[in-house]
Amino acid sequence: MNSREEDMQIPEGYLFTDEHEWARQEDDGTITIGISWHAQDLLGDIVYVELPEEGEAVDAGEEFGVVESVKAASDLYSPVSGKVVEVNHGLDDAPESVNEGPYKQGWMIRVEPSDVTELEELMDPEEYASFVSQE
């Protein structure tokens, strides 16, 4: 299995929103956020990603950025509330990283959550696979 095939899967250890963002809790308690393989596939070639600044607050279910592709622009919605502690600045020069590895090099922001119980509202991989199959 090559890297592209691995990214097409819905990986274990990730949680998903119905807006197709994913969240992964790291060992240090922060939450890494990106968009799913399904989302990047629907968008097509991503040409620009607008993300918040480090230190900004994000709210669960609220917009935190924009991703633009050759097909459309789409708002990004945070799966959790908290403070942005890291931004993937690599996407400034290489937004196509989101297409190439949405669960790896295409991650977008890392958040220090204010309420980790918000993760309980997200879909696990099995629920997300069912959700995507119904679209």
Side-chain angles (χ1 to χ4, degrees):
M1 182 181 301
N2 65 34
S3 178
R4 180 105 175 126
E5 289 171 330
E6 290 172 14
D7 287 338
M8 291 171 60
Q9 298 179 5
I10 299 173
E12 291 296 320
Y14 290 71
L15 299 169
F16 298 88
T17 70
D18 58 5
E19 299 288 342
H20 304 288
E21 284 82 12
W22 57 257
R24 181 185 65 220
Q25 189 164 25
E26 306 297 339
D27 291 340
D28 65 1
T30 60
I31 309 295
T32 303
I33 296 169
I35 64 171
S36 71
W37 186 91
H38 180 74
Q40 68 78 30
D41 189 50
L42 289 175
L43 285 164
D45 294 337
I46 293 173
V47 296
Y48 179 73
V49 180
E50 180 181 313
L51 299 173
E53 297 292 324
E54 292 170 4
E56 286 187 27
V58 294
D59 293 315
E62 298 296 319
E63 180 186 326
F64 73 85
V66 176
V67 61
E68 292 182 19
S69 72
V70 294
K71 293 181 181 175
S74 181
D75 292 333
L76 299 165
Y77 298 94
S78 183
V80 296
S81 301
K83 182 175 82 174
V84 177
V85 293
E86 189 175 355
V87 174
N88 185 354
H89 293 292
L91 298 181
D92 294 341
D93 295 328
E96 66 276 10
S97 296
V98 177
N99 294 112
E100 295 166 356
Y103 301 113
K104 297 177 183 168
Q105 70 269 29
W107 68 275
M108 295 180 172
I109 60 172
R110 210 161 267 141
V111 172
E112 182 180 296
S114 58
D115 182 3
V116 292
T117 63
E118 290 174 339
L119 293 173
E120 297 169 8
E121 303 299 316
L122 304 177
M123 291 181 273
D124 65 25
E126 186 175 311
E127 292 169 325
Y128 183 67
S130 176
F131 175 76
V132 168
S133 71
Q134 294 171 11
E135 285 196 330

